């Protein structure tokens, strides 16, 4: 991390889905994410043949201090496990803090859940998705190209993964004939683009 409180400008690479400077980069492969898909066995079998990167992130050098605004890019590759599109693990924040996702390239969506409420926000370049505090959130690539976005968040918000690992997001984003549909766990369709 750079010194606390140092102003800087970072360059965004929309198609690559990268921010520079980055303090660290991360990647999540299919084998690590198998259990979050509706068909984990299929995800594991795919990963055994080719353990592809599902998404990667770069995080700008913002210090972990109260009041700091974190900047991180995510690039989700196009792909599916069966009919279910590639997606992030999804998380809640440890603190009651919101976040904004700014679409940079590709076609995606933001799936949110708070208790039994589920919401879907279509994402692409030019769309800012607002994540209110207290909502679990996951992003999904519903297109044929990488889907990239910038996350802007309170640096100390933190990630809480177990609730999503245990309870899921309340809905799945599945391939439709020409697009996608967002289907709640009870089978109701809440959004679609065909
Ligand atoms: C966004 C931000 C990051 C997050 C990343 C991947 O860039 O919300 O904080 O880490 O997406 O999502 P996840 O942590 O759920 O794997
Ligand atoms: Zn978040």
């Amino acid at each position: 991390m750079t010194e606390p409180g140092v102003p800087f400008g970072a360059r965004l690479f929309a198609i690559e889905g990268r921010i520079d400077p980055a303090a660290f980069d991360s990647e999540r492969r299919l084998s690590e994410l198998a259990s979050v898909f509706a068909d984990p066995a299929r995800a594991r079998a795919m990963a055994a043949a080719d353990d592809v990167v599902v998404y990667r992130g770069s995080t700008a050098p913002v210090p972990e201090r109260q009041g700091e605004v974190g900047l991180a890019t995510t690039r989700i590759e196009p792909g599916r496990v069966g009919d279910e599109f590639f997606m992030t693990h999804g998380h809640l924040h440890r603190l009651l803090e919101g976040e904004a996702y700014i679409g940079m390239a590709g076609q995606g969506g933001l799936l949110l859940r708070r208790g039994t409420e589920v919401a879907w926000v279509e994402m692409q370049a030019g769309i800012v998705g607002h994540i209110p505090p207290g909502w679990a959130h996951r992003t999904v690539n519903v297109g044929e190209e990488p889907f990239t976005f910038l996350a802007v968040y309170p640096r100390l918000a933190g990630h809480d993964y177990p609730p999503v690992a245990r309870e899921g997001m309340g809905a799945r984003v599945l391939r439709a004939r020409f697009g996608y549909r967002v289907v709640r766990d009870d089978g109701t369709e809440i959004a679609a683009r065909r």
Side-chain angles (χ1 to χ4, degrees):
M1 295 286 163
T2 56
E3 283 171 55
V6 175
F8 65 90
R11 183 166 298 280
L12 293 171
F13 295 87
I15 306 290
E16 287 176 50
R18 190 163 68 75
I19 191 166
D20 182 46
F24 56 90
D25 295 318
S26 60
E27 55 180 40
R28 294 276 228 146
R29 288 180 183 269
L30 187 54
S31 57
E32 307 165 63
L33 291 164
S35 64
V36 298
F37 286 95
D39 189 346
R42 186 169 190 153
R44 279 188 207 102
M46 282 174 63
D50 186 7
D51 195 11
V52 294
V53 172
V54 175
Y55 60 99
R56 52 189 107 228
S58 19
T59 302
V62 173
E64 293 179 49
R65 287 208 320 184
Q66 176 67 37
E68 292 280 0
V69 175
L71 302 168
T73 52
T74 302
R75 166 189 168 124
I76 310 178
E77 300 302 326
R80 290 185 316 272
V81 174
D83 279 338
E84 189 175 22
F85 289 105
F86 277 8
M87 59 190 179
T88 61
H89 183 286
H91 60 270
L92 262 168
H93 293 154
R94 291 187 182 283
L95 303 181
L96 196 57
E97 302 277 15
E99 184 167 17
Y101 281 173
I102 299 159
M104 298 198 298
Q107 302 294 324
L110 172 53
L111 183 62
L112 303 104
R113 181 173 77 89
R114 182 180 63 179
T116 57
E117 289 175 275
V118 180
W120 172 254
V121 176
E122 225 172 73
M123 294 286 302
Q124 55 180 227
I127 300 290
V128 182
H130 171 63
I131 301 160
W135 287 74
H137 43 287
R138 162 183 288 164
T139 39
V140 184
N141 185 345
V142 298
E144 306 291 331
E145 306 293 330
F147 165 53
T148 71
F149 63 95
L150 171 71
V152 181
Y153 56 99
R155 187 65 184 86
L156 294 183
H159 295 86
D160 188 11
Y161 293 106
V164 172
R166 264 194 326 264
E167 297 152 36
M169 287 295 299
R172 303 253 167 213
V173 186
L174 307 172
R175 173 170 61 166
R177 196 177 300 189
F178 297 111
Y180 67 85
R181 39 196 213 107
V182 183
V183 182
R184 284 187 64 123
D185 295 344
D186 66 10
T188 342
E189 185 178 284
I190 59 166
R193 173 161 289 234
R194 299 173 210 275

